[in-house]
Amino acid sequence: MNKPFKLDEHPRRPRPLLSEPPAGYFDQLPTRVMARLPRAEQPAITSWSWLLQLPASLRTGLATMLVMGGFAASFWWSNPAHSATTASLDSVPQTQLVNYLLNSGARVESTDLAVLAAAHPELPGTFLHASDEELTDALDAQPADESVYF
Amino acid sequence: MEDHEILAKFQHPASRNLAFNQLVRKYQSKVYWHVRKMVVDHDDADDLTQDVFVKVWKHLENFRQDAQLFTWIYRIATNECLSFLSSKRRKFLLPLNDVGAELAAKIEADPAVAGDEVELKLQRAILRLPDKQRLVFNLRYYDEMPYEQMAEVTGTSVGALKASYHHAVKKVEEYVTQHSLE
């Protein structure tokens, strides 16, 4: 018969024989624990708590006004008649616009002039101060586009 | 850093994180091995150790200093382990011995135990003990914790703990003796 096992006679270990945790485990554990902690509540940058003091009906009214105002503003600004760009160009005299185009180095094609003359027949007379015959002679004297490339 | 310094710094929001980081660094190894002895598997022990410290963070503000900080943390860790093992048993509808057998299988697969037959039998015997008795055995045999401190951790009287440990040792010795004959 085998000798009965006595725990006191067995070499005592500080813990059971288990494999060690992965290398560096205890170096990383505090960071992982800290990442799991619930964050403290941050104070709100803008306090809206005064809204809670208002009666519910008033809060509903304010919310409705806010939504309706948003719609009205978006309609107002999306209407081309109220476009800021158009309004500012309308206020600039045409003389200044033409001078800008002629002197700013912007490239104005013949087609641009043709479209402009068709839309506003009075413009050439206003800015060129020439009769129809004079204009026709001047244009006839210009080489045709095709001849430039032959 | 001493416990009272950690607790004092924890009370101030500006130094709270630093104090808690020190607390984790101070007790992480003891908590991990306390948990690991109960659940055996490293991944389970890792999850539970983190859970323990998250709970410590949540309740540290209300910690009453009439108990030792370490004893209080051990108590949280102990409750987490017992809840984990109990929920595992419920989840898989396992009887007591099956969880012990599962833990024994894990320990047998651990290369650290390979080749040491007596140690392996001892571990099997310990893992067959009921969870609470195994906890008492671990605290007394491996950690050599005084019975008074064990009473604080487990919420059990010193007399009941002595009796529980005595029965645990008898069961372990009988199991190892019996299986040495095979």
Side-chain angles (χ1 to χ4, degrees):
Chain A
M1 184 179 169
N2 281 6
K3 185 184 170 190
F5 175 78
K6 287 289 172 194
L7 195 61
D8 288 343
E9 294 166 9
H10 185 70
R12 186 189 286 259
R13 300 175 191 276
R15 56 177 180 252
L17 275 178
L18 288 170
S19 58
E20 292 293 319
Y25 173 72
F26 289 118
D27 294 332
Q28 296 163 2
L29 186 59
T31 310
R32 292 165 62 208
V33 170
M34 296 306 284
R36 278 191 55 187
L37 298 181
R39 298 211 173 272
E41 286 182 17
Q42 300 293 326
I45 293 169
T46 307
S47 174
W48 296 96
S49 57
W50 59 273
L51 278 171
L52 297 174
Q53 308 299 321
L54 299 175
S57 56
L58 194 54
R59 286 202 302 253
T60 309
L62 279 174
T64 308
M65 283 174 62
L66 195 66
V67 172
M68 296 301 287
F71 276 122
S74 66
F75 275 120
W76 175 266
W77 291 113
S78 63
N79 187 342
H82 300 287
S83 162
T85 309
T86 309
S88 62
L89 282 176
D90 283 348
S91 66
V92 178
Q94 283 186 332
T95 317
Q96 279 185 30
L97 287 173
V98 172
N99 284 335
Y100 170 77
L101 290 170
L102 291 173
N103 300 320
S104 68
R107 186 181 171 87
V108 181
E109 304 287 344
S110 303
T111 48
D112 296 326
L113 292 172
V115 170
L116 187 64
H120 301 280
E122 74 285 0
L123 267 179
T126 307
F127 289 96
L128 298 177
H129 305 289
S131 67
D132 288 349
E133 289 78 18
E134 286 173 319
L135 287 173
T136 305
D137 290 343
L139 287 170
D140 287 345
Q142 294 296 316
D145 284 347
E146 294 82 358
S147 65
V148 173
Y149 299 106
F150 285 131
Chain B
M1 193 184 284
E2 296 294 320
D3 286 352
H4 66 89
E5 290 177 85
I6 291 175
L7 292 170
K9 285 185 186 296
F10 188 82
Q11 295 304 320
H12 298 287
S15 54
R16 176 164 292 191
N17 282 356
L18 179 70
F20 194 73
N21 196 291
Q22 291 294 315
L23 181 147
V24 175
R25 287 183 189 281
K26 186 172 180 180
Y27 291 118
Q28 59 179 353
S29 177
K30 284 183 176 178
V31 170
Y32 170 83
W33 281 111
H34 177 56
V35 172
R36 178 88 187 268
K37 275 179 273 180
M38 289 301 290
V39 301
V40 178
D41 184 71
H42 164 73
D43 290 335
D44 291 339
D46 178 35
D47 288 343
L48 285 169
T49 302
Q50 290 184 49
D51 291 347
V52 168
F53 282 114
V54 170
K55 283 204 170 174
V56 169
W57 167 273
K58 284 181 183 168
H59 300 287
L60 191 58
E61 213 162 19
N62 304 321
F63 169 66
R64 291 171 310 172
Q65 297 190 33
D66 51 356
Q68 277 186 43
L69 180 60
F70 175 60
T71 309
W72 181 70
I73 295 172
Y74 242 68
R75 187 170 185 149
I76 293 174
T78 299
N79 289 338
E80 285 295 306
C81 288
L82 294 177
S83 299
F84 171 82
L85 292 168
S86 169
S87 68
K88 189 171 190 173
R89 202 162 281 129
R90 275 200 308 272
K91 191 174 172 185
F92 298 107
L93 300 171
L94 293 172
L96 184 72
N97 285 344
D98 282 4
V99 172
E102 186 199 330
L103 296 177
K106 282 182 181 173
I107 223 165
E108 282 164 28
D110 196 316
V113 192
D116 193 335
E117 278 303 310
V118 179
E119 186 64 29
L120 192 57
K121 286 189 177 77
L122 176 61
Q123 292 309 314
R124 277 191 202 138
I126 294 168
L127 290 169
R128 287 174 66 86
L129 297 172
D131 293 341
K132 284 182 184 171
Q133 200 169 36
R134 189 154 61 90
L135 169 77
V136 171
F137 183 88
N138 285 342
L139 290 173
R140 185 66 193 159
Y141 182 73
Y142 288 116
D143 299 345
E144 297 182 89
M145 189 181 275
Y147 279 111
E148 290 72 20
Q149 208 171 6
M150 286 170 65
E152 282 184 41
V153 170
T154 58
T156 312
S157 69
V158 169
L161 288 170
K162 284 182 179 174
S164 179
Y165 181 68
H166 177 76
H167 286 302
V169 170
K170 286 286 165 207
K171 283 186 198 175
V172 166
E173 287 178 341
E174 280 171 18
Y175 180 89
V176 177
T177 303
Q178 200 174 354
H179 288 79
S180 297
L181 296 172
E182 290 173 355

